[in-house]
Amino acid sequence: MHRVARSPPVHGRTSNNQVLGIGSGSTIVHAVQRLAERVKEENLMIVCIPTSFQARQLILQNGLTLSDLDRNPELDVAIDGADEVDSDLNLIKGGGGCLTQEKIVAGFAKCFIVIADYRKKSDNLGEQWKKGVPIEVIPMAYVPVTRALTKKFGGVVELRMAVNKAGPVVTDNGNFILDWKFDKVHEWSEVNAAIKMIPGVVETGLFIDMAQVVYFGMEDGSVSVREKQPC
């Protein structure tokens, strides 16, 4: 991923006086480190908006300027990872539990760029990522939402449980996460809209028609690009 960090997502598409959205997850660490190097080397003025507590800490640890959507409601570029990317650049995100804030930041960016390793690259969602679509829900609604999802779309829905604490995972927003393990390829735009209409659903990990370009770090160290439209 070091080569991806030095490729266009950080080097060619970021410039002086920009507001950047900083995503969550391990793939973003190298990109932020490279961004911090460029800020020092080129004396850039860059403002960073985090998508999670982890992203906030990453920004601060690398000496970058931290801001928020109150002060900077429009972003030039958002850079984030993904759990899976299909041939249409639709994404599954939220394996790390930060899907809602990630989608908010990406949605208000003029350009949304994804960086991921080759294992996240697929033709159809579900080919590589087997843990399902994360869905953030209000805690009191997780049981009826689970029932509604399985009744309407089939598959299996599981409440995501924490690893180092008793009980379920709690998001930065104080909500629960359901992982919907679907059993067939869907029309994702329609499914995403329908899930969001279920009372109690906060957001889904389906990022439909949002990413403009995806950079994959390949096994041999090269970088593969899927691009929908220039930004």
Side-chain angles (χ1 to χ4, degrees):
M1 297 306 294
H2 290 278
R3 186 170 295 185
V4 176
R6 295 180 181 275
S7 66
V10 173
H11 202 75
R13 296 180 188 262
T14 53
S15 58
N16 197 30
N17 296 316
Q18 282 189 327
V19 179
L20 302 183
I22 302 299
S24 309
S26 58
T27 57
I28 299 301
V29 174
H30 299 304
V32 173
Q33 290 171 344
R34 176 54 187 150
L35 177 63
E37 291 173 3
R38 286 195 60 212
V39 167
K40 291 179 181 179
E41 292 167 359
E42 303 172 36
N43 197 29
L44 301 178
M45 294 293 293
I46 298 288
V47 173
C48 298
I49 311 295
T51 59
S52 65
F53 177 83
Q54 180 216 26
R56 181 181 185 277
Q57 296 305 107
L58 189 61
I59 291 166
L60 293 174
Q61 288 165 5
N62 283 275
L64 295 167
T65 301
L66 177 70
S67 189
D68 54 42
L69 291 175
D70 290 343
R71 287 172 286 184
N72 298 97
E74 186 174 283
L75 293 78
D76 295 292
V77 179
I79 303 173
D80 208 341
D83 298 309
E84 188 171 30
V85 184
D86 74 8
S87 58
D88 293 321
L89 270 60
N90 295 317
L91 318 174
I92 292 178
K93 289 177 52 57
C98 307
L99 58 149
T100 298
Q101 293 186 35
E102 288 173 343
K103 189 175 282 190
I104 291 169
V105 170
F108 288 107
K110 297 174 185 175
C111 181
F112 179 34
I113 296 170
V114 174
I115 58 176
D117 71 45
Y118 65 96
R119 293 168 294 184
K120 311 300 177 64
K121 186 178 184 180
S122 68
D123 291 325
N124 298 294
L125 296 181
E127 288 180 1
Q128 302 290 343
W129 180 253
K130 303 299 184 182
K131 297 182 180 180
V133 175
I135 300 168
E136 186 163 345
V137 299
I138 300 296
M140 68 173 290
Y142 86 90
V143 172
V145 170
T146 296
R147 291 169 59 89
L149 284 168
T150 53
K151 182 178 180 180
K152 196 161 192 174
F153 303 110
V156 176
V157 179
E158 298 176 350
L159 177 64
R160 188 182 298 182
M161 303 304 289
V163 175
N164 294 318
K165 67 174 279 290
V169 167
V170 178
T171 71
D172 287 356
N173 308 308
N175 297 317
F176 290 171
I177 291 180
L178 299 175
D179 289 304
W180 170 46
K181 298 179 180 179
F182 52 91
D183 53 10
K184 63 180 180 180
V185 175
H186 292 267
E187 176 51 58
W188 293 116
S189 179
E190 295 177 5
V191 168
N192 183 56
I195 292 174
K196 291 177 69 172
M197 290 299 293
I198 299 172
V201 170
V202 176
E203 190 53 88
T204 82
L206 290 166
F207 283 52
I208 308 302
D209 198 28
M210 294 184 69
Q212 280 99 339
V213 59
V214 181
Y215 294 86
F216 295 98
M218 304 307 289
E219 193 171 13
D220 63 2
S222 64
V223 177
S224 173
V225 183
R226 280 183 179 174
E227 189 166 11
K228 180 178 288 187
Q229 60 190 62
C231 62

